């Protein structure tokens, strides 16, 4: 029987949407106490997806993670008290309408919007274990800014690395949070190259299967349950074609966007019937740091569950032992 493996993309506060969907899965599958992670054999997550994937592997239920998000998002996305924000409002940043003086301010500062102290506290409290605390593979993409290669994936082989550190490096989205500096190394968000970690998951499992223990675990193959945290929304180019507008467009619509290319490749490699992408389609774009729209985001995922939930349950049940 094929194993179920989980992939969750980045998307900041929008991670509360997939967690709402997962809560309903746990209810309908009869695993409210055990949690979705109890029936998964491998995990991958980028940025906010790394929090979800790590929590589920550690035995947290989707409901517990959902409640954790609801309680802590305001402290995670806490605006920095710096001169930039005295002169340049967050509203103006989000609308990308700048004067020449605004641009000068942006260029003068080490620009990032939020203090990461709340995020660090949350991660240390909830993820104190090492990456290899569970034998089931966990893959967390990050961007190694001064290493031999920028594409770094934390996994079980990083035996001395705490989960909290690995997740923090994956959650350090450019322009939102500062980079993570540690002993001469510098990291930023894994979404720079793998916001959708589905191919990190697939290739990682194949690499692990070179060892007999994992080769036996995945002898019958695996099925990937993938979550597009940012949802599918209309893509619109920048209103202005100046360099700052292009910068925000590239960060928000390309770096932080979950595209289709990795999904196409995964389906080609293991068969479309072995990959299920959960992804509501919306008429609008939701900013990953706009906490005022969280109820709307939850509603989008709730509507999506009503149309897709039964199919996702069927997909998952095909990997579960009959009781």
């Amino acid at each position: 029987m094929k194993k179920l493996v989980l992939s969750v993309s980045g998307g900041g506060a929008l991670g509360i949407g997939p967690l709402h969907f997962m809560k309903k899965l746990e209810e309908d599958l009869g695993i409210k106490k055990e949690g979705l992670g109890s029936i998964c054999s491998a995990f991958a997550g980028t940025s906010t997806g790394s929090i979800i994937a790590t929590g589920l592997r550690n035995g947290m239920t989707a409901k517990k993670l959902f409640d954790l998000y609801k309680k802590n998002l305001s402290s995670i996305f806490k605006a920095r008290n710096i001169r930039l924000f005295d002169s340049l409002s967050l509203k103006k940043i989000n609308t990308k309408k700048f004067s020449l003086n605004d641009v000068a301010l942006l260029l003068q500062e080490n620009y990032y919007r939020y203090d990461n102290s709340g995020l660090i506290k949350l991660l240390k409290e909830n993820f104190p274990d090492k990456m290899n605390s569970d034998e089931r593979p966990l893959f967390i993409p990050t961007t190694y800014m001064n290493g031999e290669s920028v594409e770094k994936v934390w996994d079980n082989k990083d035996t001395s690395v705490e989960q909290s550190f690995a997740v923090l490096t994956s959650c350090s989205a450019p322009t939102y949070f500062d980079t993570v500096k540690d002993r001469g190394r510098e990291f930023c968000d894994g979404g720079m190259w793998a916001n959708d970690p589905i191919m990190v998951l697939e290739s990682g499992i194949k690499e692990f299967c070179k060892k007999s223990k994992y080769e036996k675990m995945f002898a019958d193959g695996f099925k990937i349950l993938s979550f597009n945290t940012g949802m599918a929304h209309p893509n619109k180019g920048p209103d202005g074609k100046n360099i700052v507008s292009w910068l925000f467009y590239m960060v928000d619509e390309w770096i932080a966007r979950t595209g289709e290319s990795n999904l196409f490749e995964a389906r080609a490699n293991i068969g479309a019937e072995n990959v299920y992408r959960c992804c509501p389609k919306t008429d609008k774009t939701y900013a990953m740091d706009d906490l005022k729209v969280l109820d709307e985001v939850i509603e989008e995922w709730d509507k999506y569950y009503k149309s897709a939930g039964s199919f996702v349950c069927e997909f998952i049940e095909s990997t579960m032992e009959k009781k």
Side-chain angles (χ1 to χ4, degrees):
M1 181 176 290
K2 289 181 170 64
K3 299 293 187 181
L4 180 69
V5 298
L6 183 72
S7 171
V8 189
S9 70
L14 302 182
I16 202 163
L19 285 171
H20 177 74
F21 191 97
M22 292 177 193
K23 275 199 313 171
K24 299 183 80 66
L25 283 177
E26 290 176 345
E27 292 169 4
D28 288 349
L29 292 167
I31 53 172
K32 286 175 62 176
K33 291 184 179 180
E34 301 90 340
L36 182 62
S38 68
I39 58 173
C40 295
S41 297
F43 307 79
T46 300
S47 199
T48 198
S50 70
I51 298 176
I52 295 171
T54 303
L56 290 173
R57 190 185 75 151
N58 287 356
M60 300 172 74
T61 64
K63 183 183 186 310
K64 184 172 182 179
L65 283 163
F66 179 91
D67 292 342
L68 194 71
Y69 269 56
K70 288 279 279 189
K71 181 180 178 181
N72 292 281
L73 281 175
S74 59
S75 61
I76 292 174
F77 289 96
K78 181 180 179 182
R80 297 170 65 209
N81 183 23
I82 58 173
R83 182 173 60 84
L84 172 63
F85 289 100
D86 292 337
S87 305
L88 186 58
S89 70
L90 189 60
K91 182 178 180 181
K92 186 180 284 190
I93 292 170
N94 284 333
T95 57
K96 285 80 171 179
K97 295 179 180 178
F98 307 106
S99 68
L100 289 176
N101 185 57
D102 295 334
V103 173
L105 281 172
L106 286 168
L107 295 177
Q108 285 176 16
E109 301 286 346
N110 176 20
Y111 176 68
Y112 55 96
R113 305 182 200 180
Y114 302 108
D115 176 1
N116 66 4
S117 60
L119 176 61
I120 292 172
K121 181 175 183 292
L122 176 76
L123 297 178
K124 286 187 173 181
E125 288 175 353
N126 288 277
F127 303 142
D129 295 334
K130 305 294 186 186
M131 285 295 295
N132 65 335
S133 63
D134 188 313
E135 71 172 1
R136 293 174 298 169
L138 171 64
F139 305 100
I140 300 177
T142 188
T143 302
Y144 192 2
M145 297 177 66
N146 57 344
E148 292 182 3
S149 170
V150 296
E151 296 94 347
K152 166 63 183 172
V153 179
W154 304 109
D155 61 30
N156 300 42
K157 297 189 293 294
D158 294 296
T159 57
S160 64
V161 176
E162 291 183 355
Q163 295 170 4
S164 59
F165 178 79
V167 172
L168 178 65
T169 66
S170 190
C171 289
S172 300
T175 76
Y176 293 92
F177 295 103
D178 196 7
T179 56
V180 176
K181 302 172 184 67
D182 176 69
R183 292 173 294 175
R185 302 175 299 170
E186 188 170 9
F187 302 92
C188 74
D189 200 284
M192 293 288 286
W193 64 276
N195 196 58
D196 176 9
I198 192 170
M199 283 307 301
V200 169
L201 176 62
E202 186 202 327
S203 58
I205 290 172
K206 290 180 178 178
E207 177 66 24
F208 269 55
C209 283
K210 292 178 181 179
K211 294 184 178 180
S212 59
K213 177 174 67 174
Y214 292 103
E215 184 180 23
K216 184 177 180 180
M217 181 185 294
F218 295 103
D220 295 329
F222 53 90
K223 289 190 171 188
I224 302 175
L225 179 60
S226 168
F227 286 87
N228 180 352
T229 301
M231 303 176 280
H233 58 265
N235 181 21
K236 183 177 180 294
D239 293 329
K241 301 297 191 294
N242 60 67
I243 190 169
V244 177
S245 295
W246 275 113
L247 169 64
F248 279 97
Y249 172 70
M250 287 187 287
V251 169
D252 293 339
E253 291 295 336
W254 288 99
I255 294 174
R257 177 173 166 266
T258 299
E260 298 292 302
S261 59
N262 286 340
L263 175 63
F264 292 153
E265 188 173 354
R267 285 174 171 167
N269 288 345
I270 66 173
E273 71 279 7
N274 293 315
V275 182
Y276 198 108
R277 166 65 62 83
C278 296
C279 179
K281 293 183 178 180
T282 69
D283 296 328
K284 59 183 285 189
T285 301
Y286 292 98
M288 61 178 276
D289 59 339
D290 188 352
L291 305 189
K292 295 179 181 179
V293 300
L294 295 185
D295 288 339
E296 286 184 46
V297 171
I298 292 168
E299 185 177 346
E300 292 284 1
W301 282 91
D302 195 66
K303 288 190 296 185
Y304 179 63
Y305 191 85
K306 290 174 182 176
S307 64
S310 61
F311 299 106
V312 180
C313 284
E314 184 178 345
F315 179 83
I316 294 173
E317 286 170 341
S318 69
T319 68
M320 298 172 67
E321 297 286 347
K322 302 294 183 183
K323 292 183 180 180

